[in-house]
């Protein structure tokens, strides 16, 4: 935008396909490998579940391609052998046997088996990125002006993508969504725990060069849980506070004017009165906003989005819960599955549009442009974890100013100048804690946001190779 | 004042995160979320060719 270029249609479609594949892959991994163990007790699956009864349960609720008593017996045996070897691997560091685990043993075994199936599936889903993005993560083919995967607009490459998409989407439809509903049906009280107040989505998946009008997942903001009052969101209304963050004080600033001035002394962790985090505190019209799957689904639902509304209503009906229960940890985790299904289904139309273009000889993927001496611009997207905005100022053909506000900063950011907590901080209030030494319930709400704090830069001394850790305790 | 619980690091996420809560009467009454690493890519980008930006900034979030 800062350089004033319109990308070709194929580039737009390929970017949508890459982002769609990212949603499919990322949300499957989050549900099974980062979040499920907050709800699923592996020890119960291994020691208490009856494989035949598990098979009967799975036949009833799931359309998984694998199943049967022999399969579940084999999974259970594999896990037993693994645990008996003394190496818990991915199942270490958890609160097995905690009183807040409520699934029957057979549901635990079914979900654990699908955890292992999802591990295999995600490795295949990631190959969609290899086709048009060269690798996963950190795609190599995105360029200002289009995409560079010129040689991959061929029938065999597109067909390979299509088959991987089909396999992934079948898993989402037949395994992920049924598992989500089965697990959620035992945790309905989490429909009133872990909610926040305001929601914002920049939107994603432009289906023409008209943005934001053509975004398949729409742009909007919803304040005070008012589903009927969703409004268009405007980047001019974004500011960031640093009062409680380890930066030099400087008041609320729009990202065009934003500064990155880390405190020069050792950062002191002072949650009660002072600074306590490297995250800034983003605000929209001076209010904290949750971003991510729940925000996107609520904004779309509020607008009456056909596909999103149909799936949301069906999920609410199957669980027997009201729309108000969406404002919760349960709603956040359900919304992630809902949008995976809806976006995944939509990808087929993008693949078909790409095939149609290639058939008629349109293989354009890049529009040339000229670097301006001076300019400014912003880019707004919605990535799996939420709203992502980048703001740039160019002078003398170089970057003069760059700021970006990422999903986890919105969700996990600290208090602002007025002491108003960030969304996660708000969501945690009221969470029951049965045993302070085993705070499983807190992890449920924290994980429901799918935190990504990997944006830390590890500072390495080139002479000693020593990694300096910023100690905050 | 209730009991303070600190979870640091939080596992099964991307990155280094700390959460502190205050619990009273079996429920959380106050919470603090803390990112434990500095990003700083904005500073690295200053003075560079704008075409470098997409490849630099995606390192802060591969997903």
């Amino acid at each position: 935008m800062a350089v004033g270029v319109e990308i070709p249609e194929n580039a737009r479609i390929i970017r949508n396909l890459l982002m769609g594949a990212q949603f499919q892959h990322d949300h499957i991994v989050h549900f099974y490998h980062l979040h499920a163990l907050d709800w699923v007790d592996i020890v119960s699956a291994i020691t208490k579940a009856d494989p035949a009864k598990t098979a009967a349960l799975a036949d009833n609720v799931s359309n998984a391609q694998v199943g049967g008593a022999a399969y579940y017996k084999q999974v259970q045996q594999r896990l037993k052998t693994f645990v008996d070897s003394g190496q818990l691997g991915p199942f270490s560091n958890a609160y097995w046997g905690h009183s807040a685990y409520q699934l029957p043993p057979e549901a635990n075994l079914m979900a654990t088996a699908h955890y292992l199936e999802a591990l295999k599936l995600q490795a295949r889903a990631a190959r969609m990125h290899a086709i048009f993005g060269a690798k996963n993560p950190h795609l190599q083919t995105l360029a200002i002006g289009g995409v560079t995967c010129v040689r991959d607009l061929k029938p065999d490459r597109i067909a390979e993508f299509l088959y991987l998409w089909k396999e992934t989407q079948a898993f989402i439809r037949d395994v992920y969504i049924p598992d989500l509903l089965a697990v959620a049906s035992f945790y309905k009280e989490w429909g009133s725990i872990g909610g926040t107040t305001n929601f914002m989505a920049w939107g994603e998946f432009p289906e023409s060069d008209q943005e934001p009008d053509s975004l398949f997942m729409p742009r909007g903001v919803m304040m005070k849980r008012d589903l009927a009052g969703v409004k268009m969101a405007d980047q001019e209304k974004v500011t960031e506070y640093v009062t409680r963050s380890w930066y030099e004080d400087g008041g609320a600033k729009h990202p065009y004017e934003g500064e990155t001035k880390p405190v020069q002394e050792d950062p002191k962790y002072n949650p009660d009165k002072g600074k306590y985090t490297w995250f800034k505190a983003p605000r929209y019209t001076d209010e904290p906003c949750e971003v991510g799957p729940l925000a996107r689904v609520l904004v779309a639902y509020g607008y009456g989005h056909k596909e999103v509304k149909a799936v949301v209503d069906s999920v609410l009906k199957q669980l027997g819960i009201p729309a108000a229960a969406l404002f919760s940890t349960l709603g956040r985790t359900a919304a992630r599955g809902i949008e995976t299904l809806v976006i995944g289904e939509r990808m087929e139309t993008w693949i078909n549009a790409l095939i149609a273009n290639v058939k008629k000889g349109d293989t354009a993927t890049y529009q040339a442009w000229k670097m301006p001496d001076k300019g400014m611009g912003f880019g707004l997207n919605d990535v799996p974890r939420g709203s992502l905005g980048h703001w740039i100022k160019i002078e003398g053909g170089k970057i003069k100013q760059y700021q970006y506000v990422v999903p986890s900063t919105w969700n996990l950011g600290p208090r602002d100048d007025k002491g108003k907590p960030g969304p996660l901080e708000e969501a945690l209030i009221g969470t029951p804690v049965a045993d302070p030494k085993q705070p499983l319930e807190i992890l449920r709400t924290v994980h429901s946001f799918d935190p990504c704090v990997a944006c830390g830069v590890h500072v390495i001394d080139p002479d000693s190779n020593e990694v300096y850790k910023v100690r905050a305790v | 004042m209730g009991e303070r619980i600190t979870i640091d690091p939080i596992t099964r996420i991307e990155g280094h995160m700390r959460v502190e809560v205050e619990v009273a009467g079996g429920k959380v009454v106050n919470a603090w979320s803390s990112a434990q690493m500095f990003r700083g890519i904005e500073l690295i980008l200053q003075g560079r060719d704008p075409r470098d930006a997409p490849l630099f900034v995606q390192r802060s979030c591969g997903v």
Side-chain angles (χ1 to χ4, degrees):
Chain A
M1 197 196 122
V3 301
V5 63
E6 292 282 354
I7 64 170
E9 191 186 350
N10 289 331
R12 177 180 59 70
I13 294 171
I14 285 170
R15 287 181 184 187
N16 281 349
L17 287 173
L18 288 168
M19 186 69 93
Q22 182 77 69
F23 272 74
Q24 291 183 305
H25 180 266
D26 210 40
H27 285 356
I28 289 170
V29 169
H30 179 264
F31 180 73
Y32 285 100
H33 308 124
L34 302 179
H35 199 23
L37 303 186
D38 298 338
W39 314 96
V40 175
D41 187 341
I42 303 276
V43 173
S44 155
I46 298 173
T47 58
K48 293 185 188 153
D50 178 285
K53 282 187 195 162
T54 307
L57 168 75
D59 281 347
N60 191 28
V61 301
S62 165
N63 292 312
Q65 287 182 355
V66 287
Y71 166 79
Y72 283 107
K73 197 171 175 191
Q74 183 259 332
V75 169
Q76 201 178 35
Q77 193 51 52
R78 243 175 98 195
L79 287 164
K80 248 182 214 161
T81 311
F82 184 59
V83 170
D84 287 347
S85 77
Q87 296 175 27
L88 282 172
F91 306 132
S92 59
N93 267 337
Y95 302 123
W96 310 128
H98 193 288
S99 64
Y101 281 118
Q102 286 160 24
L103 294 184
E106 285 72 27
N108 282 321
L109 181 55
M110 178 181 77
T112 306
H114 294 166
Y115 175 111
L116 299 173
E117 295 298 334
L119 267 182
K120 285 189 270 183
L121 186 273
Q122 63 85 27
R124 295 196 38 84
R127 286 172 55 186
M128 284 187 277
H129 270 181
I131 293 171
F132 293 131
K135 67 189 191 72
N136 168 296
H138 303 150
L139 310 183
Q140 296 298 292
T141 57
L142 302 172
I144 302 166
V147 291
T148 61
C149 47
V150 186
R151 285 168 178 270
D152 300 304
L153 264 69
K154 298 278 183 335
D156 57 334
R157 297 295 272 168
I158 298 173
E160 199 183 345
F161 188 97
L162 180 64
Y163 281 106
L164 289 164
W165 164 80
K166 255 191 188 158
E167 185 182 345
T168 307
Q169 189 61 13
F171 185 88
I172 290 162
R173 198 175 45 233
D174 297 339
V175 188
Y176 175 10
I177 300 298
D179 280 351
L180 175 66
L181 290 169
V183 173
S185 69
F186 288 96
Y187 289 104
K188 286 186 201 172
E189 76 274 19
W190 283 83
S192 58
I193 300 167
T196 65
T197 308
N198 309 311
F199 301 85
M200 198 276 288
W202 293 136
E204 188 54 86
F205 307 114
E207 295 191 319
S208 80
D209 54 10
Q210 298 300 306
E211 283 190 48
D213 301 349
S214 77
L215 295 170
F216 177 65
M217 291 302 284
R219 180 173 302 169
V221 61
M222 188 178 89
M223 307 308 272
K224 298 194 165 58
R225 300 190 179 188
D226 179 14
L227 274 169
V230 179
K231 290 193 182 78
M232 179 52 63
D234 177 359
Q235 61 85 24
E236 283 186 11
K237 294 176 178 163
V238 174
T239 51
E240 287 192 296
Y241 285 92
V242 293
T243 319
R244 308 299 297 273
S245 316
W246 287 313
Y247 300 94
E248 288 177 23
D249 288 328
K253 286 192 163 65
H254 182 272
Y256 271 142
E257 312 304 328
E259 295 171 340
T260 303
K261 292 182 176 168
V263 291
Q264 292 304 304
E265 70 278 14
D266 277 349
K268 307 258 185 323
Y269 177 74
N270 184 0
D272 293 296
K273 290 193 181 98
K275 297 174 182 288
Y276 61 95
T277 178
W278 284 111
F279 278 145
K280 297 179 181 178
R283 295 293 182 262
Y284 185 90
T285 56
D286 229 22
E287 295 291 337
C289 283
E290 174 173 347
V291 300
L294 181 57
R296 283 188 291 262
V297 165
L298 288 172
V299 163
Y301 192 74
Y303 278 136
H305 188 286
K306 193 176 128 215
E307 292 85 352
V308 169
K309 189 167 186 315
V311 181
V312 170
D313 287 340
S314 151
V315 165
L316 293 176
K317 199 175 156 202
Q318 289 181 67
L319 289 175
I321 54 173
L326 290 169
F327 298 94
S328 67
T329 295
L330 182 79
R332 194 171 294 117
T333 298
R336 188 170 287 111
I338 289 166
E339 71 167 11
T340 312
L341 182 69
V342 171
I343 293 165
E345 290 298 320
R346 192 71 170 189
M347 286 174 72
E348 188 172 18
T349 65
W350 306 333
I351 300 170
N352 288 337
L354 183 66
I355 292 170
N357 280 355
V358 173
K359 263 188 185 165
K360 68 181 184 207
D362 172 10
T363 53
T365 52
Y366 179 78
Q367 175 61 49
W369 54 277
K370 204 170 164 281
M371 181 71 72
D373 183 56
K374 212 172 168 175
M376 59 197 281
F378 57 86
L380 305 177
N381 288 84
D382 245 273
V383 295
R385 289 174 168 102
S387 306
L388 171 67
H390 287 242
W391 287 261
I392 188 172
K393 281 183 183 170
I394 300 170
E395 251 183 60
K398 304 275 183 215
I399 297 171
K400 164 88 172 162
Q401 156 88 4
Y402 203 105
Q403 289 285 314
Y404 53 128
V405 186
V406 306
S408 289
T409 319
W410 281 102
N411 284 336
L412 315 177
R415 286 151 173 77
D416 55 30
D417 278 28
K418 298 175 195 74
K420 220 178 263 182
L424 171 66
E425 296 176 332
E426 179 196 356
L428 283 170
I429 291 173
T431 303
V433 180
D435 175 3
K437 290 191 178 61
Q438 300 201 330
L440 173 64
E441 302 93 333
I442 291 169
L443 288 181
R444 286 179 176 169
T445 294
V446 172
H447 283 154
S448 73
F449 282 92
D450 193 4
C452 183
V453 200
C455 42
V457 172
H458 300 245
V459 182
I460 298 176
D461 185 317
D463 296 324
S464 67
N465 256 353
E466 185 181 351
V467 177
Y468 295 109
K469 278 206 169 164
V470 182
R471 284 194 66 96
V473 182
Chain B
M1 191 164 142
E3 186 180 353
R4 290 277 184 114
I5 307 172
T6 300
I7 313 179
D8 180 19
I10 299 258
T11 57
R12 296 191 179 91
I13 64 161
E14 287 289 324
H16 308 262
M17 184 191 175
R18 170 192 180 113
V19 165
E20 184 169 341
V21 296
E22 190 181 328
V23 177
K27 282 192 171 172
V28 174
V29 292
N30 214 341
W32 296 268
S33 156
S34 174
Q36 297 284 294
M37 296 297 287
F38 173 57
R39 183 174 70 197
I41 290 179
E42 288 93 339
L43 300 177
I44 294 171
L45 285 172
Q46 277 174 13
R48 285 189 178 270
D49 189 308
R51 284 169 293 193
D52 290 348
L55 290 171
F56 273 88
V57 296
Q58 70 169 226
R59 260 63 194 175
S60 70
C61 191
V63 293

